[in-house]
Amino acid sequence: MSMLARLLSLLTLMLMAPVLVDAAPAAGFTEIRSIGGITEYRLDANGLQLLLMPVARAPRTSVTVIYRVGSRHERGAAEAGMAHLLEHVSFHGAAGVPDIAVELQRLGVRFNATTSTDRTNYFASFAAGERGTLQRVLELEAARMSGARLDESDIAREKPIVLDELALRGQAVLPQLQQALAATAFRSHAYGRPVIGSVASIEQLSLPVLREFYARHYRPDHAVLMLAGAFE
C-alpha cells in the first residue's frame, strides 16, 4: 500500500463520525480532481473532503481543518455568538486528550483558529520532517471533531476571554465600520449580525445549546481537511 493510501486509510478510521457508528468502517477513498498541484479526495466512509498539496522542499507542513459553519448558521438569538465561542472552547479537552492547546504547544506547533459568517477553521504548522507530529496533529483534530469535552468549566473559562475580545473590537474604528456596513446591507439576514455576538448573547449561551450546535455541525461530511507543504 502506498504512503498516500496509508494516510487516507488512517484518516478514514480516525475521523469516523458518531452518526456513522453503526456503519461498517471502510478504508476507501475517491479521487475527485487534481488542479495546480492540489489533489482532492473524498473519504468513502464519512464524506470528509481532503485536499493534498505536497511541496517536497517546503520548510514546514501545514494542517488546516475547515468546518462549513459560521455565524450565519446560528439559530437566532439563542445561538448568537455560538460558532465563535465553540471555536474557543474546542481547544480544551477531548477524547483521550486533557487539553488540545497544551498538547499542540508541547509539540512545538504553531496554531490558531478563526470564525467568520460562513466557516470556522483551525490551522497548525510545524517544521518539515516531523512525521510523528503530523500524525499527532491529525489525531488531535479527529478528537476535536468527534469527541470534544465541552463542559461548564470550559465555557466559564472562555466567556470572559470572548467578552474581552468583543470590548477590544468596540474600541477599534475599522471593525465598527465593517459591522455598521454589514448591518445596513443585511437588515434581515444573519450576515448583518456580529460574528462574535453581543455581550448579552454571549453571557446567555448555555452548555446544552453549545453541545447541540457542536453535534449538528462538527462532522466529517461538513469539513475539509487540507495538508500542504512537506509531507509524503
Side-chain angles (χ1 to χ4, degrees):
M1 182 183 290
S2 69
M3 285 295 297
L4 174 59
R6 286 200 294 271
L7 172 63
L8 293 173
S9 298
L10 171 65
L11 290 170
T12 301
L13 296 174
M14 285 167 47
L15 299 177
M16 287 297 293
V19 71
L20 297 176
V21 70
D22 294 328
F29 57 90
T30 301
E31 181 173 338
I32 307 298
R33 75 196 87 183
S34 185
I35 302 174
I38 303 172
T39 305
E40 177 186 1
Y41 299 88
R42 191 169 302 278
L43 301 190
D44 298 336
N46 55 30
L48 178 73
Q49 183 182 8
L50 178 64
L51 302 178
L52 298 183
M53 184 178 179
V55 182
R57 296 181 180 275
R60 302 186 68 80
T61 303
S62 297
V63 177
T64 302
V65 178
I66 297 178
Y67 293 91
R68 298 183 183 93
V69 57
S71 60
R72 77 175 181 88
H73 299 91
E74 296 162 352
R75 295 176 176 175
E79 294 185 351
M82 178 60 75
H84 180 251
L85 178 63
L86 179 56
E87 173 215 308
H88 278 247
V89 175
S90 71
F91 275 104
H92 294 294
V97 187
D99 193 298
I100 291 176
V102 170
E103 178 69 2
L104 289 170
Q105 290 170 346
R106 184 190 69 80
L107 293 169
V109 174
R110 299 177 187 171
F111 66 94
N112 211 328
T114 64
T115 304
S116 75
T117 53
D118 298 287
R119 58 100 188 108
T120 304
N121 75 318
Y122 300 86
F123 47 93
S125 71
F126 45 90
E130 300 291 339
R131 293 187 181 182
T133 300
L134 172 58
Q135 177 162 331
R136 185 56 178 157
V137 169
L138 292 174
E139 291 170 351
L140 294 174
E141 291 301 338
R144 189 203 309 272
M145 181 180 292
S146 61
R149 183 173 60 210
L150 305 181
D151 63 20
E152 291 285 4
S153 64
D154 294 334
I155 295 179
R157 178 178 170 182
E158 290 301 323
K159 277 188 177 182
I161 297 174
V162 174
L163 290 171
D164 286 344
E165 185 179 339
L166 178 60
L168 289 173
R169 293 188 181 191
Q171 299 170 10
V173 174
L174 183 57
Q176 290 185 60
L177 178 60
Q178 290 173 329
Q179 183 52 50
L181 178 62
T184 301
F186 300 101
R187 295 182 182 183
S188 301
H189 192 282
Y191 282 166
R193 187 173 62 236
V195 172
I196 197 172
S198 65
V199 172
S201 69
I202 293 167
E203 289 179 343
Q204 62 88 37
L205 289 174
S206 66
L207 180 60
V209 175
L210 183 140
R211 284 179 171 172
E212 196 279 331
F213 189 87
Y214 168 79
R216 195 163 77 237
H217 296 291
Y218 276 52
R219 299 164 35 181
D221 57 336
H222 285 192
V224 182
L225 171 62
M226 299 186 292
L227 303 181
F231 65 93
E232 288 193 59

